[in-house]
Amino acid sequence: MHLTRLIRAYDNDVQEQPQPNLLALTDTAKSRADGPERGDAARNRKKILACAHNLITNDGVDALTMDRLAHCAGVGKGTIFRRFGSRTGLLLALLDEAEKQLQHAFISGPPPLGPGAPPQERLDAFGAARLKFLESHGDIQLAAERDSTTAVSAAPRLLDHTHVTNLLRAAGVTHHPHLLAMSLVASLSAPLVLYQVRAQGVTFPELHDSWRFHIECLIRS
Amino acid sequence: MHLTRLIRAYDNDVQEQPQPNLLALTDTAKSRADGPERGDAARNRKKILACAHNLITNDGVDALTMDRLAHCAGVGKGTIFRRFGSRTGLLLALLDEAEKQLQHAFISGPPPLGPGAPPQERLDAFGAARLKFLESHGDIQLAAERDSTTAVSAAPRLLDHTHVTNLLRAAGVTHHPHLLAMSLVASLSAPLVLYQVRAQGVTFPELHDSWRFHIECLIRS
């Protein structure tokens, strides 16, 4: 099922008006929705993403400048900007496959992350999955979330928010579940998680343990 | 009491090693700590801040470019950068007085925000005070917090975190109070609060109500 429809289904499920930003997917997803890419455009895209991946793997995410990327992929900088909109768009495209895997896992995969388990167990599994995602892709996610004003309304963040809101409601939380969900999802943002891990010496298992306790508190009340 | 000492006192209180970033105050505060400013430097600083305030009041925070500011204040751009370090440093300096008032209020002011009230009441008052701060100074705070990687470790945010951690502990929360505090404080960040208010139609009273319920849940458990 296409991601746009998944998000729409979620919107209908929680019986709220779709937020204008909720359907603004990454540039990659948008261009896919418009129809199949032409062969040379698809090849260029693949080459740009492969070069970006290599640059980041070898020299870190700060090494990903448009100049170096254009040189490596043998295209003009204009091509990269037309294709991905911005550096952030490119970074989100790099995470696109991993992000889609995670989204499909929590929307329609096996329990406890997917449907079939009690909502509290699904919330627990969701926190664990997002933390694991950050453990694997933290640097790229951090760079993609650098601008905090766009990060709060990025499509993956809003889908997470809808998912957590739904599960809180299903677990019987009736007092502002959408606001509590916003706070819970914010606690899984890359800048916050990686600051705690890297500057404060917090471990990923501690963050998961705290997440579990946090949702227990909200559901028990 | 000077803010640096206030933060140190807090550090000792929670018996943790001071974080390197915890004592990194705004440039303004740092330069003050180094000694009194020379008369002409103080006058320049005052003029720059007054012009910045006027530009923002008249045309919004996006109108605050270094070119316009230098022209208005009759100084070179270099003077502004030497004085405030960056645009973010300048924005934080603009909030400096209001920020210090709030900090002194929750550290040593009258209850329920200051000492003397039960910790749960103080946490409630703290959330209300931060939300009121954002209602008054949201646009400047939003611009100052735009870079999410520096926002998570800005001195005011870390002082908030220490304060909330202390109050959770005082209220009997023993399970990861410092991680829960990080999540609570993140829920009061300018990008998140203003996104909810402006794009999702959430009201400040609803955010305060949710904050109150949230801390009740954590303390009751």
Side-chain angles (χ1 to χ4, degrees):
Chain A
M1 198 195 291
H2 190 276
L3 185 58
T4 309
R5 271 188 290 150
L6 289 175
I7 301 178
R8 284 215 181 99
Y10 249 119
D11 270 346
N12 294 335
D13 196 29
V14 297
Q15 300 180 329
E16 282 172 355
Q17 291 301 313
Q19 302 295 330
N21 284 315
L22 198 60
L23 305 178
L25 303 176
T26 65
D27 296 77
T28 323
K30 258 192 286 181
S31 59
R32 278 185 192 159
D34 292 341
E37 291 173 305
R38 281 182 307 130
D40 52 346
R43 270 190 301 277
N44 264 350
R45 188 181 156 275
K46 218 167 168 178
K47 200 161 40 165
I48 292 166
L49 287 175
C51 281
H53 183 80
N54 284 343
L55 278 172
I56 290 173
T57 307
N58 294 333
D59 300 322
V61 74
D62 288 339
L64 184 71
T65 64
M66 291 299 123
D67 281 321
R68 284 187 70 176
L69 184 57
H71 182 256
C72 164
V75 298
K77 281 200 284 184
T79 304
I80 303 176
F81 279 109
R82 269 195 304 280
R83 189 73 227 167
F84 298 100
S86 63
R87 188 169 180 271
T88 300
L90 174 71
L91 291 165
L92 287 173
L94 275 173
L95 292 178
D96 207 38
E97 279 308 313
E99 181 65 40
K100 276 197 292 192
Q101 269 182 26
L102 174 56
Q103 289 173 344
H104 281 280
F106 70 69
I107 292 170
S108 53
L113 188 52
Q120 187 168 336
E121 279 180 41
R122 291 190 68 192
L123 276 169
D124 183 20
F126 173 76
R130 263 282 165 237
L131 288 169
K132 197 175 163 205
F133 185 92
L134 288 176
E135 213 170 349
S136 303
H137 309 290
D139 279 321
I140 302 179
Q141 186 70 38
L142 190 65
E145 285 190 41
R146 180 138 195 177
D147 183 333
S148 60
T149 54
T150 57
V152 290
S153 61
R157 177 83 81 99
L158 294 178
L159 182 61
D160 283 4
H161 176 248
T162 305
H163 181 61
V164 171
T165 304
N166 282 353
L167 290 176
L168 286 175
R169 282 198 177 122
V173 176
T174 55
H175 204 73
H176 298 308
H178 59 299
L179 302 185
L180 295 171
M182 195 62 98
S183 169
L184 282 171
V185 169
S187 76
L188 298 173
S189 75
L192 199 62
V193 166
L194 296 181
Y195 173 72
Q196 289 172 288
V197 169
R198 292 172 183 179
Q200 302 197 312
V202 176
T203 65
F204 278 99
E206 283 171 330
L207 287 169
H208 179 207
D209 193 46
S210 169
W211 168 268
R212 178 182 288 155
F213 178 72
H214 200 157
I215 55 177
E216 270 174 23
C217 292
L218 296 177
I219 289 173
R220 206 185 302 159
S221 290
Chain B
M1 200 195 293
H2 190 275
L3 185 58
T4 310
R5 273 188 289 150
L6 289 175
I7 300 178
R8 284 212 181 99
Y10 249 120
D11 271 346
N12 295 335
D13 197 30
V14 296
Q15 299 181 328
E16 283 172 355
Q17 291 301 311
Q19 302 295 330
N21 283 315
L22 196 60
L23 305 178
L25 302 177
T26 65
D27 296 75
T28 324
K30 259 193 287 184
S31 60
R32 277 184 195 160
D34 293 339
E37 291 173 305
R38 281 181 306 130
D40 53 345
R43 269 190 301 278
N44 264 350
R45 186 180 157 276
K46 216 167 166 178
K47 200 161 38 165
I48 293 166
L49 287 175
C51 281
H53 182 82
N54 284 343
L55 279 172
I56 291 172
T57 307
N58 293 333
D59 300 322
V61 73
D62 288 339
L64 184 70
T65 64
M66 291 300 125
D67 281 321
R68 285 188 69 176
L69 184 57
H71 182 257
C72 164
V75 298
K77 281 200 283 183
T79 304
I80 303 175
F81 279 109
R82 270 194 305 280
R83 189 73 227 167
F84 298 100
S86 63
R87 188 169 180 272
T88 301
L90 174 71
L91 292 166
L92 287 172
L94 274 173
L95 292 177
D96 207 39
E97 279 309 312
E99 181 65 40
K100 277 197 293 193
Q101 269 184 24
L102 174 55
Q103 289 172 344
H104 281 280
F106 70 70
I107 292 170
S108 54
L113 188 53
Q120 186 168 337
E121 278 180 40
R122 291 189 67 193
L123 276 169
D124 184 19
F126 173 77
R130 263 283 166 238
L131 288 169
K132 198 175 161 204
F133 185 92
L134 288 176
E135 213 171 350
S136 303
H137 309 289
D139 279 320
I140 303 180
Q141 186 69 38
L142 191 65
E145 286 189 41
R146 180 139 193 178
D147 183 332
S148 60
T149 54
T150 57
V152 289
S153 61
R157 177 83 81 99
L158 294 177
L159 182 61
D160 283 4
H161 175 248
T162 305
H163 182 60
V164 172
T165 305
N166 282 353
L167 291 176
L168 286 176
R169 282 198 176 120
V173 176
T174 55
H175 204 73
H176 299 307
H178 59 300
L179 302 186
L180 295 171
M182 196 62 99
S183 169
L184 282 172
V185 169
S187 76
L188 298 173
S189 74
L192 199 63
V193 165
L194 297 182
Y195 173 71
Q196 289 172 289
V197 169
R198 292 173 183 179
Q200 302 196 313
V202 177
T203 65
F204 277 98
E206 283 171 330
L207 287 169
H208 179 208
D209 193 47
S210 170
W211 167 268
R212 179 181 288 154
F213 177 72
H214 200 159
I215 55 177
E216 270 173 22
C217 292
L218 296 177
I219 289 173
R220 207 185 301 159
S221 291

